[in-house]
Amino acid sequence: MEAAILEEFGSKLSVKEQPTPEPKEGEVLVKIKASGVNPVDAKLAQGYMKDRLPHEFPMILGWDMAGIVEKRGHGARRFSVGDEVFAYARRPELNNHGTFADYISVPESYLAKKPINISFEEAGAIPLAGLTAYQCLFEVGKVKLDDTVMILGASGGVGSFAVQMAKYEGAQVVAVASKENHDYLRELGADHCLDYKSQKIEEVIWDIVPDGVDLVFDAVGGGATLQGARSLKEGGRLISITNQGDGLPDHIRFHFVFTEPNARQLDHIREMVEAGTLKVNITKEYNLDNINDAFKQIETGHTTGKIVVKM
């Protein structure tokens, strides 16, 4: 099979032939049709996560995928050959087996049926970002009807899903992003949009929500995390996927979330997509041959919606 591999941290990816994996007990072999590109891919390639995640070179990067079941290992019976599936498929114990490749073998417990009303490209863009938003808002944040939720980095891949999921739960959504993305965020359901470039978020929020924000979801990090903390009502919660609590006041109810594969949650996300309450915005598609261009784009930190690689 062809795969985009990393041979050392800090180097460009190269497309080379690699052995096609064989599904082990409880696994299925999936022919990948599309894979989302996420900021974590660039961080992993640069070596920023080498102390957190095991690694072995050559490394195949990629966390998301949508594709077709091609073969089943012993005991794997949840899916049939030919089923269309999607998954957050990266395996931490096998960090050299990612999704920027023609095939991947994963535990069938990772997989969910692909939404029937969207393309493989759209489905491949969902899993990591969608599960991140889902777990932060619903599992950890316990968002409920009439909560006020501030989303930092609202126009990115994770943020775009978070805006829609928070609205799905009946929350009032304050989306923080550059002004040129505000119309897009209002289309997703944001009630208020703030421009981090021209506004002091922790000051103007009190004119919009005099009692303060119930939940801040931080998908940005840096100084934005503290601005979010200063926007919280007493007893409010701050959840981050980028900051582990550095520099925050001790009284803040803070949680750091590292997303885990979860097929049950993906099934719920599939239902939301099929019902039309969750939409995927793909701004650009790449293929394996120009995957380094995809990495250049994601490294800018200013990608609206999602970008994907087609196999």
Side-chain angles (χ1 to χ4, degrees):
M1 70 173 185
E2 282 195 333
I5 66 171
L6 183 75
E7 300 193 83
E8 63 179 356
F9 291 125
S11 67
K12 289 186 176 182
L13 300 179
S14 55
V15 178
K16 294 186 177 181
E17 291 288 330
Q18 296 290 299
T20 300
E22 277 292 318
K24 299 177 182 177
E25 184 169 358
E27 294 183 354
V28 294
L29 179 69
V30 178
K31 181 174 178 58
I32 300 173
K33 306 291 285 186
S35 176
V37 183
N38 299 284
V40 69
D41 294 310
K43 291 180 180 179
L44 186 56
Q46 294 298 322
Y48 293 133
M49 304 179 70
K50 62 183 178 182
D51 295 329
R52 178 184 298 177
L53 297 176
H55 55 274
E56 177 184 335
F57 296 109
M59 184 189 302
I60 302 174
L61 301 179
W63 303 64
D64 289 330
M65 71 88 179
I68 301 172
V69 174
E70 187 149 305
K71 190 175 183 180
R72 304 188 299 184
H74 180 72
R77 294 295 179 266
R78 287 184 60 230
F79 297 93
S80 301
V81 172
D83 282 351
E84 298 180 353
V85 295
F86 72 144
Y88 166 13
R90 191 166 193 86
R91 301 176 62 180
E93 77 278 14
L94 294 175
N95 212 336
N96 57 323
H97 292 176
T99 60
F100 297 141
D102 289 330
Y103 294 92
I104 191 169
S105 183
V106 292
E108 64 172 358
S109 60
Y110 284 25
L111 299 174
K113 287 286 186 70
K114 168 189 162 292
I116 61 174
N117 59 331
I118 61 174
S119 66
F120 281 107
E121 289 77 20
E122 291 169 308
I126 292 174
L128 179 56
L131 283 172
T132 299
Y134 189 103
Q135 291 174 15
C136 287
L137 293 178
F138 299 152
E139 299 298 311
V140 179
K142 307 296 184 185
V143 171
K144 61 184 185 300
L145 179 68
D146 295 330
D147 274 353
T148 300
V149 178
M150 174 186 282
I151 300 170
L152 307 177
S155 61
V158 174
S160 296
F161 289 129
V163 169
Q164 297 176 79
M165 289 181 183
K167 285 304 296 182
Y168 169 84
E169 201 63 21
Q172 179 180 203
V173 176
V174 180
V176 180
S178 58
K179 189 173 183 178
E180 54 264 30
N181 288 316
H182 285 186
D183 287 343
Y184 163 64
L185 290 167
R186 291 188 182 98
E187 290 176 4
L188 295 182
D191 298 286
H192 306 281
C193 296
L194 301 180
D195 178 16
Y196 68 89
K197 294 180 179 178
S198 64
Q199 295 175 296
K200 292 186 177 181
I201 305 305
E202 70 271 37
E203 295 179 3
V204 298
I205 188 62
W206 298 96
D207 294 326
I208 299 171
V209 189
D211 294 331
V213 173
D214 294 288
L215 173 67
V216 170
F217 177 28
D218 169 32
V220 179
T225 309
L226 186 56
Q227 288 183 313
R230 291 170 175 164
S231 305
L232 287 170
K233 66 168 52 174
E234 185 176 350
R237 297 97 70 204
L238 193 157
I239 298 172
S240 181
I241 59 173
T242 58
N243 185 308
Q244 298 192 42
D246 299 332
L248 293 178
D250 292 338
H251 69 275
I252 296 293
R253 295 174 61 192
F254 173 81
H255 298 274
F256 171 77
V257 174
F258 190 83
T259 311
E260 300 289 341
N262 191 302
R264 177 186 60 80
Q265 293 169 2
L266 267 184
D267 268 329
H268 190 193
I269 290 172
R270 173 185 55 78
E271 292 170 0
M272 295 169 69
V273 172
E274 291 179 347
T277 57
L278 188 69
K279 296 180 172 59
V280 187
N281 176 38
I282 296 178
T283 55
K284 192 158 185 180
E285 297 177 357
Y286 299 84
N287 55 40
L288 281 183
D289 290 336
N290 61 358
I291 193 171
N292 286 300
D293 293 332
F295 269 58
K296 287 180 182 178
Q297 172 57 42
I298 206 71
E299 286 169 358
T300 67
H302 296 288
T303 301
T304 301
K306 293 288 298 183
I307 59 177
V308 297
V309 173
K310 299 190 295 183
M311 305 308 150

